[in-house]
Amino acid sequence: MPLADATVDAYGGKAGGLGALIRAGLPVPDGVVVPAGAAVDGMVVPRGGIADELGRWLERMGDPLVAVRSSAANEDTAHTSAAGQHDSFLGVRGLAAVLDAVRACRASAWSPRAVAYRNGSEPPPMAVIVQLQLDPDVSGVMFTGDGTTTIEASWGLGPSVVEGRVTPDRYQVADGRVTRTIADKQTTLTLSGTHQVPTTHRRIPTLSDATAVHLAALAHQAAIALGGPQDLEWAITADTPWLLQSRPITVQLPPTATSPSTPATRTPAPPTATAGTLTATPGTPGSLTGTPGSLPGTPASLTGTPGSHGTATGPARIVRGPVDFPQVRPGDILVCPFTDPAWTPLLSIAAGVVTEQGGVLSHAAIIARERGIPAVLAVPNATSQIPNNTPLTINGTTGQIQA
């Protein structure tokens, strides 16, 4: 099935949303959709006709690199985003590899994170999108709503932003005016892997004001085409913007809060702004000391980017990777470098989450908002500043962390 003909009812929210954008004349990379098929377990890729059709499409496109992504019935809906819960495969080439990726994509419906997200219910039917792979210069996510479009952007491929592995630049566009906060973007993801960004480029803005306004206009058109505020993934290749995904926003963002020492500015923006910083006070710079219950602005206070509404108090649990997952207990405050979709089961039991990297539009932040737990993001060196088991109170609406 050509992606342009896909509908939500027949091919799931992701494919149906992209199909609607194509029909509305918006820029979406060409692709096709493999239907869910008749198998009960959802893992069987129909052979014969489907494989032949995929092969002909790949040949017609010149045997390109493609992206293989899920489009399940419970994915990208107005009630559940299923953000990052199923596997995607980038840079796939050749029919055999594409078919393997389709099978693996469907099998990811049984991953621990996907099962936890569904609260153990049966996996839904899953169509799979096979789409031309972009090699973008910059990419990210944007949310529409209330007259303002919020855009997060970083160098290279989008997974570094959506998985929270980099703190992205943030742009807010309203009435043609742009407010931006430029982050320290330390890494970039390309088709060859993750690379360090040269120090001289880390604080360079990823988007011009004109490009941010243009992206916001595309997002507004998508919201009109799809009938409501949208969460979109996008990429820019050779100065051409593309829309890669659009789904309804399930939970609204917390109000924008900016660190007192690095305010967002009306353009032109300084290249030294960062998304989250320590509250400066007398004493050891960058330390978390002082007495419990001290007020914000004392050495026991940290400030980050508000990621999910609410306040929670609990013991800090330092989690640097999957090896630490068994240490997490209900009611803990997760303190971690980042939380990619594999961490979803922890968000089902944690009282709140603090990260060193990531933006408010990342998958983990979306899941935290859906779970109703507070999140504070982009707090530099949080895992080394906060001792394990320290009682913490975090405010995901203001971005304050108090020991």
Side-chain angles (χ1 to χ4, degrees):
M1 165 68 71
L3 185 56
D5 297 334
T7 61
V8 172
D9 290 343
Y11 293 94
K14 187 179 296 177
L18 289 173
L21 296 185
I22 294 172
R23 293 190 293 274
L26 291 166
V28 175
D30 197 6
V32 293
V33 188
V34 177
V40 175
D41 64 8
M43 291 183 65
V44 175
V45 175
R47 292 284 179 172
I50 291 295
D52 291 344
E53 289 179 31
L54 265 177
R56 286 194 294 270
W57 181 79
L58 291 168
E59 184 177 0
R60 188 165 63 251
M61 293 291 109
D63 191 26
L65 290 174
V66 297
V68 179
R69 302 189 294 155
S70 63
S71 183
N74 73 331
E75 198 170 3
D76 296 351
T77 73
H79 304 292
T80 57
S81 67
Q85 299 314 300
H86 303 125
D87 289 342
S88 296
F89 299 89
L90 305 182
V92 183
R93 191 192 299 275
L95 178 59
V98 169
L99 291 173
D100 285 344
V102 170
R103 281 193 295 273
C105 193
R106 285 202 174 130
S108 69
W110 282 264
S111 68
R113 68 180 185 271
V115 172
Y117 184 84
R118 298 193 306 268
N119 293 319
S121 63
E122 287 298 308
M126 183 189 291
V128 178
I129 301 166
V130 180
Q131 195 173 17
L132 293 180
Q133 174 72 61
L134 301 180
D135 187 10
D137 304 306
V138 60
S139 55
V141 186
M142 51 186 171
F143 271 38
T144 68
D146 297 329
T148 300
T149 298
T150 301
I151 304 171
E152 291 189 337
S154 192
W155 307 119
L157 291 163
S160 60
V161 177
V162 299
E163 294 180 2
R165 293 175 180 268
V166 67
T167 299
D169 294 344
R170 186 171 69 249
Y171 299 79
Q172 291 182 291
V173 183
D175 298 324
R177 300 187 68 187
V178 180
T179 301
R180 53 179 169 166
T181 302
I182 306 305
D184 182 18
K185 304 170 290 295
Q186 299 180 19
T187 61
T188 180
L189 178 66
T190 71
L191 291 172
S192 63
T194 300
H195 309 278
Q196 291 294 313
V197 175
T199 303
T200 54
H201 286 72
R202 289 179 179 178
R203 299 179 188 269
I204 293 176
T206 46
L207 302 175
S208 68
D209 287 354
T211 301
V213 169
H214 183 41
L215 284 171
L218 291 175
H220 178 67
Q221 293 174 55
I224 292 173
L226 295 171
Q230 295 293 300
D231 163 5
L232 301 104
E233 296 181 18
W234 57 271
I236 295 176
T237 301
D239 296 325
T240 300
W242 297 91
L243 301 181
L244 307 180
Q245 183 171 315
S246 190
R247 60 176 164 234
I249 295 174
T250 54
V251 185
Q252 292 298 320
L253 298 174
T256 301
T258 308
S259 170
S261 62
T262 55
T265 59
R266 293 288 179 187
T267 53
T272 56
T274 57
T277 59
L278 282 168
T279 302
T281 56
T284 305
S287 64
L288 184 65
T289 59
T291 59
S294 53
L295 296 173
T298 70
S301 177
L302 289 167
T303 301
T305 301
S308 179
H309 293 280
T311 302
T313 299
R317 191 64 57 217
I318 308 301
V319 180
R320 293 187 171 87
V323 69
D324 298 320
F325 286 7
Q327 308 304 317
V328 179
R329 298 291 180 264
D332 285 350
I333 304 293
L334 300 184
V335 182
C336 42
F338 59 88
T339 57
D340 69 22
W343 298 48
T344 297
L346 300 186
L347 300 183
S348 299
I349 63 172
V353 60
V354 176
T355 71
E356 296 178 330
Q357 301 284 347
V360 299
L361 308 186
S362 66
H363 285 159
I366 293 170
I367 301 302
R369 292 192 289 271
E370 291 183 348
R371 297 294 192 197
I373 64 172
V376 179
L377 314 173
V379 181
N381 304 313
T383 59
S384 58
Q385 304 263 13
I386 302 172
N388 202 41
N389 216 37
T390 299
L392 287 185
T393 296
I394 70 170
N395 188 322
T397 304
T398 65
Q400 290 290 324
I401 303 168
Q402 189 69 50

